[in-house]
Amino acid sequence: MPSADYYLKQAELAARLALAESDPEKAQALHILALQNYDKADKATAEETPSPLDPTDPPNIIERQ
């Protein structure tokens, strides 16, 4: 799966193309593509970051004897 940075770059490119496009239908399609890529970047970021520990788990303390 591509990284979040990849999707962010693709989203930015699609957004810039949407702004430069004179045909409203094509501009809208590019804008939707940009939003989809931003969503994929968000999901990729969530998958890359580890989930926090369950607060009910006991702490991992190692004591020296």
Side-chain angles (χ1 to χ4, degrees), residues 44-61:
T45 301
E47 290 177 4
E48 290 173 359
T49 55
S51 61
L53 295 176
D54 185 1
T56 60
D57 288 343
N60 291 331
I61 300 174

Side-chain angles (χ1 to χ4, degrees), residues 30-54:
L30 286 165
H31 183 72
I32 291 169
L33 181 62
L35 292 174
Q36 290 170 341
N37 278 304
Y38 278 123
D39 187 45
K40 289 179 183 180
D42 187 46
K43 288 178 183 176
T45 301
E47 290 177 4
E48 290 173 359
T49 55
S51 61
L53 295 176
D54 185 1

